Amino acid sequence: MFRKLLICTVAIFALNATALCQVNGVDDTTANADILSTLAKVRALIADTKYDSALGILEGYLQNNSEDNEAWYLKGFIYDQKENLALASEYYHKSIALDSTYWGPWHELAYLFDIFAQYDSMNIYMRKALETSDNPGSIYYDYGYSFDMLDQADSALIYYHKALDVDSLDDEAYLNIGAIWGLRDNLDSAKVYTSKALAINPSVPRACYNYAAILGAEGNYQSAVDYYQKAMALDTTMIEVKLRLGELYEALGDSTMARIYFQEFVDSAPMIYTDDINRTKAKLEKYK
């Protein structure tokens, strides 16, 4: 799953800057503009992946503005991108402690739970992000994904479709809807949605893989081979493609190609594929 990262808008920063001035007993548009300018500069640096520069500005800013939840959120976001998840979580929670009605840290914390496959917590935090966001449409896909990971397909479908109502070109929503229908053996619906995902973005390895699986289930073996090969060309780490190609060539009666791909799978597959490796080794015996 491709994580959708959401950065705060200038409008939200403006509201926070104004609130900060009022809390400090200041009604100074110059101070407001300075705060907005500082945070806008940080956001621009983050967008340009200049995380250390952004962090340097934030460190100085927070010395005098320690109650600014947006700044703590951005600090957490930077550490998130630097893959220091412990600090990212700490600063996201600091932001929430200062203002629990702001959706940003709820959203990013939800995806930290995704990393550790803690999908119950992911779903809870994503719901908080949805409830507090002034643009919930941008979170529908993410909320749907959290249900998907909990194997709550009906709820996932509801929010994937809501995501498509907001953005009819959301190829990830189409792809995941297609996958759900595929798991339910509804090949017609699976093919319709997966085809739409491919039409929008034909260079997504998982879309090519899923479409190949559908074609194979339909008995269209040669076309399935083409899409599996495309998936493997786009992502050489998709080891399972080699197994699927071996199976397809076996079904096509091409024992030479079947043996080649089965052997490549056995030679390159990690231990998580132990059962498949053992079954494939047994198949290879008949090609000797």
Side-chain angles (χ1 to χ4, degrees), residues 17-221:
T18 300
L20 182 62
C21 290
Q22 291 172 347
V23 167
N24 290 336
V26 178
D27 189 13
D28 186 344
T29 56
T30 300
N32 183 25
D34 287 344
I35 291 171
L36 179 58
S37 176
T38 298
L39 295 179
K41 185 182 296 184
V42 169
R43 288 193 304 111
L45 288 168
I46 290 174
D48 202 26
T49 68
K50 295 179 179 178
Y51 301 128
D52 290 335
S53 297
L55 189 58
I57 294 173
L58 275 176
E59 295 285 5
Y61 175 80
L62 282 167
Q63 289 181 8
N64 298 314
N65 301 278
S66 61
E67 299 300 305
D68 190 331
N69 70 295
E70 296 285 349
W72 287 109
Y73 163 73
L74 285 175
K75 190 172 183 180
F77 189 86
I78 290 169
Y79 279 106
D80 198 342
Q81 302 313 294
K82 291 166 73 72
E83 298 186 357
N84 188 330
L85 304 187
L87 283 180
S89 178
E90 177 183 341
Y91 296 134
Y92 287 150
H93 278 105
K94 174 74 171 178
S95 177
I96 289 172
L98 289 167
D99 183 0
S100 63
T101 67
Y102 173 50
W103 63 271
W106 291 112
H107 179 268
E108 303 309 332
L109 278 167
Y111 268 115
L112 292 187
F113 287 116
D114 177 39
I115 293 171
F116 298 105
Q118 296 175 352
Y119 299 121
D120 285 327
S121 295
M122 180 190 185
N123 181 264
I124 292 169
Y125 277 69
M126 201 63 78
R127 183 174 68 247
K128 289 293 293 185
L130 187 69
E131 291 171 349
T132 53
S133 174
D134 60 350
N135 182 23
S138 66
I139 306 177
Y140 287 148
Y141 172 88
D142 302 315
Y143 195 36
Y145 171 78
S146 70
F147 281 113
D148 207 345
M149 294 299 97
L150 287 169
D151 292 324
Q152 296 181 24
D154 289 337
S155 295
L157 285 172
I158 289 171
Y159 284 96
Y160 285 149
H161 280 289
K162 282 179 175 286
L164 289 174
D165 289 338
V166 174
D167 179 6
S168 63
L169 297 179
D170 190 335
D171 61 297
E172 294 175 61
Y174 281 119
L175 181 57
N176 288 358
I177 292 171
I180 289 172
W181 287 120
L183 290 171
R184 293 178 171 182
D185 294 323
N186 187 329
L187 293 182
D188 289 338
S189 293
K191 192 172 186 179
V192 167
Y193 284 98
T194 308
S195 296
K196 287 183 178 180
L198 276 170
I200 296 167
N201 192 348
S203 298
V204 176
R206 190 163 66 90
C208 295
Y209 182 96
N210 288 4
Y211 196 61
I214 294 166
L215 292 170
E218 290 179 337
N220 192 346
Y221 299 144

